């Protein structure tokens, strides 16, 4: 057998591609793919409380969603800091990424809808009072997007460090507060009461902010970076509303109008949440343009 034939045999075995000689196969002293990602921990964290087949789907959907939420927070918090420094351009990539992640989260509801009401009833009682309402990362995302509610912190009182993290986020400027400060930094007049407001409270629409955004939208060439920022925010707000809507319709499809495991009114509560808008100034100016 020639050297060329031997090399060909290494690459193709029984019609299948073989391993190239340069591919690393010894990981006794090297970090592998699984080591880097800690797959032993991730893939051993799905513990069903029942024997029902679909409980695995239920667990993985929610665990994967929490991982995506972690990335959303990573991007949102970095974007907020960029905007507060009036360094807008780096934030655009981060906010575009948030929007793409939101699309992944929206799509996950369609996977969960393959579970029927009959399936879910086989293990729902095993959940006790645990509920997606208690997702602290989702709460942090809402705070970062400007929807603040101090009453929700009561759910986390049993976890001191987590409670303090949420309380800190409650009092920090949201991404919309950062955007308003960017308007001010670009010389657009903003009421002092808005710039120095209590960030732990929900933002209330303000005429000076609306007028500033109108100036941006009527002079896009002059304020292109602010214009792009505004549209990135509108995109994220819309995606978050879509995620909420698909959440509500998925819950309605699977449990109807039953009370939530966490004690909420279920679909009735979720419908109220869907009606809550993000960045109301940016929506209202569309009528005024």
């Amino acid at each position: 057998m020639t050297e060329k034939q031997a090399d060909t045999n290494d690459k193709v075995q029984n019609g299948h591609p073989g391993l190239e000689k340069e591919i690393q196969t010894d990981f006794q002293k090297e970090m592998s793919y699984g080591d880097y990602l800690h797959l032993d921990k991730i893939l051993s964290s799905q513990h069903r409380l029942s024997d029902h087949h679909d409980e695995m789907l239920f667990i993985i959907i929610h665990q994967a969603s929490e991982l995506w939420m972690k990335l959303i927070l990573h991007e949102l918090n970095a974007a907020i800091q960029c905007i507060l420094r009036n360094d807008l351009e780096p934030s655009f990539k981060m906010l575009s990424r948030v929007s793409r992640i939101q699309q992944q989260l929206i799509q996950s509801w369609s996977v969960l809808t393959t579970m029927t009401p009959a399936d879910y009833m086989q293990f729902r009682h095993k959940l006790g009072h645990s509920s997606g309402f208690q997702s602290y990362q989702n709460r942090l995302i809402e705070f970062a997007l400007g929807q603040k509610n101090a009453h929700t912190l009561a759910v986390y009182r049993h976890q001191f460090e987590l409670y303090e993290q949420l309380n800190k986020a409650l009092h920090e400027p949201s991404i919309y507060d950062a955007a308003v400060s960017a308007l001010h930094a670009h010389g657009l007049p903003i009421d002092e009461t808005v710039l120095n407001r209590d960030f732990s409270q929900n933002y209330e629409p303000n005429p000076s902010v609306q007028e500033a955004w109108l100036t941006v939208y009527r002079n896009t060439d002059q304020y292109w970076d602010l214009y792009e920022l505004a549209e990135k925010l509108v995109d994220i707000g819309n995606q978050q509303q879509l995620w909420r809507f698909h959440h509500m319709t998925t819950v309605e499809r699977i449990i109807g109008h039953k009370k939530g495991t966490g004690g909420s009114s279920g679909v009735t509560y979720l419908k109220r949440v869907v009606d809550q808008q993000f960045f109301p100034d940016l929506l209202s100016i569309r009528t005024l343009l």
Side-chain angles (χ1 to χ4, degrees):
M1 181 183 297
T2 67
E3 183 177 340
K4 184 176 181 180
Q5 288 172 324
D7 186 56
T8 300
N9 286 341
D10 283 341
K11 293 180 179 177
V12 181
Q13 298 288 336
N14 299 323
H16 296 288
L19 284 178
E20 296 176 353
K21 290 181 178 179
E22 292 79 11
I23 290 178
Q24 179 74 28
T25 59
D26 183 1
F27 290 95
Q28 293 294 320
K29 297 180 180 179
E30 297 284 345
M31 178 177 66
S32 71
Y33 173 81
D35 296 332
Y36 175 66
L37 296 177
H38 297 280
L39 291 181
D40 55 336
K41 296 178 181 178
I42 294 173
L43 299 180
S44 61
S45 297
Q46 294 74 45
H47 305 291
R48 289 185 293 169
L49 299 179
S50 74
D51 294 327
H52 196 274
H53 177 84
D54 280 16
E55 190 180 357
M56 184 64 75
L57 163 69
F58 189 79
I59 291 170
I60 289 176
I61 285 289
H62 288 85
Q63 287 183 339
S65 294
E66 290 293 334
L67 284 173
W68 282 126
M69 288 180 190
K70 183 173 184 176
L71 186 54
I72 284 177
L73 287 167
H74 178 70
E75 301 296 339
L76 274 181
N77 289 331
I80 289 171
Q81 294 308 310
C82 286
I83 298 167
L84 286 173
R85 294 194 303 269
N86 199 29
D87 186 17
L88 303 187
E89 288 191 4
S91 74
F92 299 154
K93 178 180 178 181
M94 299 166 188
L95 296 178
S96 292
R97 185 173 293 161
V98 168
S99 178
R100 299 301 187 275
I101 299 167
Q102 289 173 310
Q103 291 171 17
Q104 295 294 320
L105 287 169
I106 292 167
Q107 179 60 29
S108 71
W109 293 122
S110 68
V111 181
L112 192 59
T113 58
T114 63
M115 182 177 66
T116 69
D119 295 327
Y120 186 44
M121 288 305 111
Q122 296 300 311
F123 63 87
R124 185 177 189 247
H125 62 284
K126 295 286 189 179
L127 303 180
H129 290 297
S130 63
S131 164
F133 181 84
Q134 298 144 21
S135 168
Y136 74 88
Q137 291 199 125
N138 186 49
R139 196 67 60 200
L140 287 170
I141 289 170
E142 290 187 344
F143 286 0
L145 295 179
Q147 292 200 346
K148 306 290 185 77
N149 186 345
H151 297 295
T152 59
L153 267 62
V155 175
Y156 312 100
R157 286 192 181 279
H158 66 295
Q159 296 171 285
F160 178 76
E161 290 185 4
L162 186 54
Y163 180 88
E164 288 300 306
Q165 180 185 354
L166 284 153
N167 190 48
K168 181 174 180 290
L170 179 73
H171 290 84
E172 289 177 339
S174 71
I175 196 161
Y176 191 66
D177 291 311
V180 171
S181 74
L183 291 171
H184 178 67
H186 279 69
L188 294 163
I190 304 294
D191 288 348
E192 287 294 326
T193 55
V194 177
L195 297 172
N196 300 314
R197 76 183 196 87
D198 180 357
F199 296 129
S200 69
Q201 301 298 312
N202 259 340
Y203 173 85
E204 295 293 334
N206 180 270
S208 71
V209 177
Q210 292 176 5
E211 191 60 38
W213 284 125
L214 282 171
T215 300
V216 168
Y217 274 77
R218 287 168 176 160
N219 301 274
T220 56
D221 289 344
Q222 181 181 352
Y223 298 106
W224 185 266
D225 52 351
L226 289 171
Y227 173 58
E228 186 167 358
L229 174 61
E231 287 299 295
K232 297 288 187 190
L233 293 181
V234 170
D235 189 31
I236 288 173
N238 284 347
Q239 296 287 359
Q240 195 69 9
Q241 287 295 82
L242 283 172
W243 181 84
R244 287 173 164 184
F245 176 78
H246 283 276
H247 182 191
M248 181 270 293
T249 56
T250 300
V251 171
E252 187 171 37
R253 173 172 174 159
I254 296 175
I255 68 168
H257 286 259
K258 290 185 180 69
K259 193 173 182 180
T261 50
S264 76
S265 56
V267 169
T268 302
Y269 168 78
L270 294 175
K271 284 183 176 179
R272 289 201 304 270
V273 171
V274 168
D275 288 336
Q276 296 173 359
Q277 292 182 326
F278 294 92
F279 320 130
D281 290 325
L282 290 174
L283 296 178
S284 63
I285 64 165
R286 279 153 164 75
T287 306
L288 301 174
L289 281 170

